[in-house]
Amino acid sequence: MPARSEREVVVRLAGRELRVRRHEPLSRYTTFRIGGPADYLVRAGDRPALELALEWAEREGLPVTVIGGGSNLLVRDGGIRGLVVVFRAAGEALDGSLELVPDDGATVVTLLATAPLSWAGHRTSELGLAGLEWAAGLPGVVGGAVVNNAGAHGGEIGSVLVDVELYDLVERRVVRWTRADVAPRYRMTELKAQPRPRRYVVLSARLRLVPGDAASLLRTATENARWRREHQPTGPCAGSVFTNPPGTYAGYLIEQAGLKGLQIGRMKVSERHANFFVNLGGATAAEALALLDAVQRRVSEHFGILLQPEIEVIGEP
Ligand SMILES: Cc1cc2nc3c(=O)[nH]c(=O)nc-3n(C[C@H](O)[C@H](O)[C@H](O)COP(=O)(O)OP(=O)(O)OC[C@H]3O[C@@H](n4cnc5c(N)ncnc54)[C@H](O)[C@@H]3O)c2cc1C
């Protein structure tokens, strides 16, 4: 492995170059700005880059963790062993991330896993295709959204999903899962339920969208994005910390328990929306987890309801 810098090495494989970062802080790749080091990390903006990274990991016998926008993750301070692949588009040329096929009055849209979800929400609205306008303003990419069954404003990706194209890391081949295989439910899928290191990497997703009026869809998309800017924290945070219990809202329970603004170390319950935690700068995962435990315990004492995390906690303590 010829050295490129202290942290990055260039690996030559199958006539191509792969840039591998060593001991790379994952705080650089999560919206919480929290996370210990990955042993090895590769940024893959497209499928050939992903395949090269996976080939290298197999050759080196490394477990693989794939992340997208890192907006639904709390990575512990010990980081992640093996190779982390950050699978998200780099740059602005996104139109190749979307393919349209007419289907019996509707349109089947293929979206690459690397495409930003918010872009997909805006772009499909612009094209007069209804079903993804709720996604405008959401962080993250399509791959992560499929795994988490992301949703907002009454919509979710699972309800328009036809199928997903996956790379099977065990059998080393591409497979297709139907919507029934993915089994999307409230912020959960069979992909999210898989133990780590996970077997499948999302390559693309096909969604069935219906015709709509482009101008009014765009208005809704823009309004959704604006609502987010006004009601959600702007500092480093991840998505909703807890799922909503049946019949109520986690944010409401946290607020009613008097926990808005509660702070442990550099981690704080957002003053804007109590189901978000904000990193005030330099917070650790240990502080975030201590705050999560404190909120969970105090809401349980007040209401007898045990809040369940929506964000995924991964990596070594
Ligand atoms: C301010 C803010 C607001 C948010 N609001 C919402 C909201 O309203 N609704 C909502 O649902 N979510 C919300 N989120 C959470 C988050 O944006 C979504 O869940 C998003 O879809 C996650 O995508 P991501 O690319 O960031 O996934 P990541 O956090 O990177 O990953 C999520 C999971 O998917 C896996 N993964 C990612 N890409 C792949 C891939 N290609 N193949 C296999 N596995 C993969 C990861 O390993 C992980 O298990 C919010 C987040 C923030 C920061």
Side-chain angles (χ1 to χ4, degrees), residues 66 68-72 139 141 145 148 150-151 187 196 198 202 228 239 312:
V66 176
S71 63
N72 204 46
V141 294
N148 194 37
R187 301 299 171 266
R196 288 183 190 272
R198 290 197 180 139
V202 180
R228 255 167 215 290
E312 285 183 70

Side-chain angles (χ1 to χ4, degrees), residues 47 87 110-114 142 146 161 163-166 176 201-206:
R47 192 156 153 179
F87 193 37
T110 303
L111 282 167
L112 297 187
T114 49
V142 169
V146 167
L161 191 67
D163 56 18
V164 289
E165 189 190 17
L166 303 170
R176 204 169 268 284
V201 183
V202 180
L203 299 174
S204 67
R206 294 200 302 170

Side-chain angles (χ1 to χ4, degrees), residues 29-32 50 65-74 85-88 113-115 117 134 137-153 155-157 165-167 186-187 191-192 196 198 200-204 227-228 232-240 276 310-312 314:
Y29 304 91
T30 60
T31 58
F32 254 144
L50 170 80
T65 302
V66 176
I67 68 169
S71 63
N72 204 46
L73 291 174
L74 176 58
V85 181
V86 182
F87 193 37
R88 57 169 103 140
T114 49
L117 184 63
W134 53 267
L138 249 92
V141 294
V142 169
V146 167
V147 170
N148 194 37
N149 186 24
H153 308 286
E156 58 180 26
I157 201 159
E165 189 190 17
L166 303 170
Y167 187 76
Y186 174 49
R187 301 299 171 266
L191 293 165
K192 191 174 175 181
R196 288 183 190 272
R198 290 197 180 139
Y200 300 102
V201 183
V202 180
L203 299 174
S204 67
W227 182 89
R228 255 167 215 290
Q232 293 181 347
T234 47
C237 66
S240 301
F276 285 83
E310 176 175 329
I311 52 169
E312 285 183 70
I314 64 172

Side-chain angles (χ1 to χ4, degrees), residues 186-187 240 242-253 273 275 307-308 310:
Y186 174 49
R187 301 299 171 266
S240 301
F242 301 102
T243 52
N244 292 321
T248 184
Y249 293 97
Y252 170 80
L253 298 176
H273 189 314
N275 200 17
L307 293 175
Q308 297 300 323
E310 176 175 329

Side-chain angles (χ1 to χ4, degrees), residues 52-299:
L52 197 65
L54 297 179
E55 200 181 320
W56 179 73
E58 192 191 14
R59 205 184 68 179
E60 300 291 319
L62 297 170
V64 175
T65 302
V66 176
I67 68 169
S71 63
N72 204 46
L73 291 174
L74 176 58
V75 180
R76 293 192 187 92
D77 300 314
I80 295 181
R81 303 291 72 81
L83 173 68
V84 172
V85 181
V86 182
F87 193 37
R88 57 169 103 140
E92 300 297 309
L94 292 169
D95 269 340
S97 304
L98 175 144
E99 222 179 80
L100 309 176
V101 177
D103 177 47
D104 200 14
T107 299
V108 172
V109 179
T110 303
L111 282 167
L112 297 187
T114 49
L117 184 63
S118 180
W119 170 83
H122 277 293
R123 187 75 189 108
T124 52
S125 300
E126 219 168 54
L127 292 167
L129 298 170
L132 213 54
E133 54 284 4
W134 53 267
L138 249 92
V141 294
V142 169
V146 167
V147 170
N148 194 37
N149 186 24
H153 308 286
E156 58 180 26
I157 201 159
S159 62
V160 289
L161 191 67
V162 176
D163 56 18
V164 289
E165 189 190 17
L166 303 170
Y167 187 76
D168 180 341
L169 288 160
V170 173
E171 296 198 356
R172 313 217 63 85
R173 67 190 179 101
V174 175
V175 295
R176 204 169 268 284
W177 276 21
T178 63
R179 179 179 186 278
D181 299 325
V182 176
R185 52 243 193 233
Y186 174 49
R187 301 299 171 266
M188 181 48 82
T189 61
E190 285 309 296
L191 293 165
K192 191 174 175 181
Q194 298 260 319
R196 288 183 190 272
R198 290 197 180 139
R199 177 169 176 174
Y200 300 102
V201 183
V202 180
L203 299 174
S204 67
R206 294 200 302 170
L207 313 180
R208 194 168 194 278
L209 304 183
V210 294
D213 173 55
S216 100
L217 289 170
L218 254 184
R219 255 196 316 277
T220 307
T222 308
E223 174 59 22
N224 288 343
R226 190 188 57 78
W227 182 89
R228 255 167 215 290
R229 284 194 297 276
E230 282 173 11
H231 292 90
Q232 293 181 347
T234 47
C237 66
S240 301
V241 176
F242 301 102
T243 52
N244 292 321
T248 184
Y249 293 97
Y252 170 80
L253 298 176
I254 297 167
E255 194 172 342
Q256 290 302 305
L259 303 175
K260 237 183 183 180
L262 181 70
Q263 188 176 334
I264 293 182
R266 304 294 298 157
M267 209 64 202
K268 187 174 178 178
V269 176
S270 168
E271 302 275 5
R272 238 187 199 190
H273 189 314
N275 200 17
F276 285 83
F277 290 0
V278 185
N279 177 357
L280 299 176
T284 62
E287 289 169 348
L289 285 168
L291 191 60
L292 192 146
D293 281 350
V295 169
Q296 215 175 20
R297 195 181 59 251
R298 283 166 66 176
V299 166

